[in-house]
Amino acid sequence: MSSALWHARWAVAAAAVWMLAACASFKPKIAPPPAPPPPLDASYDWHVLLVAPFGSVLKDIPLALHEVLVFRDEERSASPADDLECYAANGAAPRFMTRTPSSYLLCFNHGKLSRIEATVRLPQNESALIVADACALWTKNAQAPSSAGSGSAAASDGADACAGADGGVAFAARLEDAPNEEDTQLTMQLDASDR
């Protein structure tokens, strides 16, 4: 074999090895998978609103309360079960959805806690996403409600945005435009499901 031929083969082999090494070190740019959304704050769980078990009497509630008059729409208060004595918290109510509720009511039927209502204001442009994420958390282990309500987020027309039952508690969240129209109000209603 001639020396020129040997040098040519050696040059080709060296070039091939160099190209293989270059290909092996080349890593195509692949975008990393998107980061999972951060877990929801514990205050998104409606259970934080239960300061006492349903059926508790007024003196067993660990908050200072004052009686309030509650006026309800006829369509939402047609049953005698809505003839409740309601009390609002004096001072701080439990944080819900990372906010202090603008309204936090504990309602008693025949002297026993049977309903809790909390209303928080959400930014109007983010409220649907916030409620959809929270609804996924609330309905994770819940049963779908037997009455109206789909168990999923809905439009802010006053209809249930999320509803279900969990551990003897029926929950229903409602979205409504706030009077100033810059915020949306989310009202969470918890009822003892065995009443």
Side-chain angles (χ1 to χ4, degrees):
M1 176 183 292
S2 75
S3 145
L5 185 57
W6 182 82
H7 283 298
R9 285 187 178 178
W10 186 84
V12 169
V17 168
W18 180 81
M19 288 185 71
L20 283 174
C23 288
S25 66
F26 175 74
K27 293 182 182 173
K29 290 187 178 183
I30 299 173
L40 294 178
D41 181 282
S43 71
Y44 279 79
D45 185 353
W46 58 259
H47 290 86
V48 300
L49 298 172
L50 292 169
V51 294
F54 281 119
S56 297
V57 294
L58 182 61
K59 67 181 179 84
D60 292 338
I61 304 298
L63 299 173
L65 303 171
H66 64 275
E67 191 168 9
V68 295
L69 292 174
V70 178
F71 298 96
R72 300 197 187 276
D73 296 338
E74 283 185 37
E75 64 189 44
R76 290 188 6 215
S77 63
S79 71
D82 279 339
D83 293 333
L84 303 171
E85 295 176 7
C86 295
Y87 295 81
N90 293 335
R95 287 183 60 77
F96 179 55
M97 309 282 285
T98 70
R99 294 156 175 82
T100 300
S102 58
S103 172
Y104 179 71
L105 300 176
L106 301 168
C107 299
F108 295 79
N109 191 3
H110 302 292
K112 296 187 180 197
L113 181 62
S114 62
R115 175 177 290 164
I116 298 173
E117 281 188 22
T119 301
V120 292
R121 293 183 180 271
L122 302 173
Q124 191 171 40
N125 60 341
E126 300 173 23
S127 62
L129 179 61
I130 291 171
V131 172
D133 289 346
C135 187
L137 172 71
W138 301 334
T139 58
K140 189 175 182 180
N141 296 318
Q143 299 120 7
S146 56
S147 60
S150 63
S152 61
S156 61
D157 59 0
D160 286 350
C162 185
D166 183 12
V169 178
F171 63 88
R174 231 176 23 259
L175 280 172
E176 298 176 287
D177 289 332
N180 66 8
E181 297 185 18
E182 294 176 11
D183 294 331
T184 299
Q185 291 183 151
L186 171 70
T187 300
M188 175 60 86
Q189 181 175 309
L190 307 175
D191 286 297
S193 62
D194 57 352
R195 65 177 177 112

